[in-house]
Amino acid sequence: MSKTRALREALNGPAIARIMGAHGALSAKLGEEAGFEAIWASGLEISAARAIPDANILSMAECLEAAAEIAGAVGIPVLADCDSGFGGVGNVVHMIRSYEARGMAGVCIEDKMFPKMNSFVEGNQDLAPLGDFAAKITAAKEARTDPDFVVVARIEALIAGAGMEEALRRAAVYERAGADALLIHSKQSAPDEVFAFRESYRGALPVIVVPTTYPQVTADELTTRGFGGVIYANQGLRASISAMRDVLAQIGGAGSTYGVEGSIAALKDVFALQRVDELLALQQRHDRLTATYAAPLD
Ligand code: SPV
Ligand code: MG
């Protein structure tokens, strides 16, 4: 099955699609290894891994390069976070063509103004005009070549304080514009408002949530309530920051690495993730062929 179809089916299937955030090939491989159905090429993770704010400072090309690295490293579908589409409708069409060509299973665009600011940062969270954003969704759908390629419309009305009615109004219009799925974002500390959205939304699209600020909600409960996808957008990145900080401090304090050896990944684990075995097999075969071709002809 193609990755585009796999993502589409995961979002529309009876169990929720569990999607793990990543910022590069290594974190994506760990997400795949842990059994998630898909990878989220997260704008926050990709920018944070470069110590840059998640505010459209990185160019589309830089985000695409990171997402393509991820897509090339895993066998599961990748849903790419494309912020607010990197500009006007021409940027959106260029974005769709570029992301589809580089192996993404789908993209997500959010209804905020360019440049966007991460949804959890206090600051400008102004919504894009509904008509303009919906028309970009239609343009995105028309620009893709694979009919299974997934275009997710992300609703930021609750983040921007525009209210539930506005969120639902946008959901209906984005569905009419051709979106394949909706992402309803919330920064509340409880899942109540995304539950309320799911109950009131009467359309047919799968609804995705990002429970960063309401971590108590379980995938089972989200499935029961009818959600199509859950994105764990940044926990991998945050785990790596904590783990690295902790280990580096221990090494600095102890003046040796002896105390941390037991708690950090073994080099053979690193080599396995790098697929060193494959390289060694390739080299052995190359050596055999080299000897064969170098031998004098009879
Ligand atoms: C991301 O992971 O970049 C997201 C999710 O878009 S959030 O950070 O919650 O905006
Ligand atoms: Mg993002």
Side-chain angles (χ1 to χ4, degrees), residues 15-281:
I16 198 162
R18 298 161 314 139
I19 306 170
M20 181 51 68
H23 53 272
L26 180 64
S27 53
K29 281 177 78 100
L30 294 174
E32 180 177 36
E33 186 183 282
F36 291 91
E37 279 75 54
I39 297 294
W40 168 246
S42 157
L44 173 63
E45 287 214 10
I46 290 168
S47 49
R50 289 152 183 78
I52 299 283
D54 178 23
N56 280 137
I57 310 291
L58 293 179
S59 68
M60 188 207 80
E62 289 171 295
C63 298
L64 172 62
E65 208 47 51
E69 175 192 300
I70 289 170
V74 293
I76 55 178
V78 175
L79 174 62
D81 177 4
C82 288
D83 297 336
S84 52
F86 302 108
V89 67
N91 301 78
V92 169
V93 167
H94 176 57
M95 174 206 98
I96 293 287
R97 290 179 182 150
S98 307
Y99 276 74
E100 189 181 1
R102 299 294 296 274
M104 247 46 68
V107 294
C108 175
I109 54 176
E110 65 197 61
D111 55 1
K112 286 216 297 256
M113 302 298 285
F114 180 92
K116 59 69 69 71
M117 174 59 79
N118 181 271
S119 303
F120 300 122
V121 175
E122 290 306 324
N124 184 7
Q125 297 291 344
D126 285 353
L127 294 180
L130 181 155
D132 172 62
F133 187 76
K136 282 179 180 167
I137 295 287
T138 302
K141 285 296 292 282
E142 289 171 357
R144 68 185 183 167
T145 56
D146 176 351
D148 285 327
F149 186 83
V150 174
V151 175
V152 179
R154 167 166 157 181
I155 300 165
E156 290 280 292
L158 302 178
I159 296 285
M164 186 62 69
E165 218 171 286
E166 181 63 14
L168 290 164
R169 188 162 78 101
R170 285 177 176 251
V173 178
Y174 301 162
E175 182 163 6
R176 185 173 146 223
D180 299 300
L182 300 172
L183 189 161
I184 183 70
H185 206 8
S186 166
K187 57 182 176 187
Q188 304 257 300
S189 56
D192 306 22
E193 72 174 2
V194 297
F195 289 173
F197 175 89
R198 183 51 275 193
E199 277 157 29
S200 304
Y201 167 62
R202 296 271 168 248
L205 299 182
V207 179
I208 302 168
V209 284
V210 186
T212 302
T213 56
Y214 46 98
Q216 64 277 37
V217 77
T218 66
D220 285 347
E221 181 169 19
L222 291 168
T223 299
T224 305
R225 288 180 173 272
F227 288 93
V230 54
I231 298 176
Y232 303 106
N234 51 53
Q235 288 75 16
L237 172 90
R238 289 159 60 198
S240 68
I241 293 171
S242 304
M244 270 193 264
R245 187 173 274 148
D246 186 40
V247 164
L248 304 194
Q250 282 187 59
I251 295 171
S256 106
T257 61
Y258 184 74
V260 301
E261 269 302 322
S263 62
I264 59 179
L267 273 182
K268 71 172 181 348
D269 192 4
V270 177
F271 295 156
L273 287 161
Q274 291 175 296
R275 297 185 301 173
V276 170
D277 280 2
E278 250 176 55
L279 175 62
L280 294 178

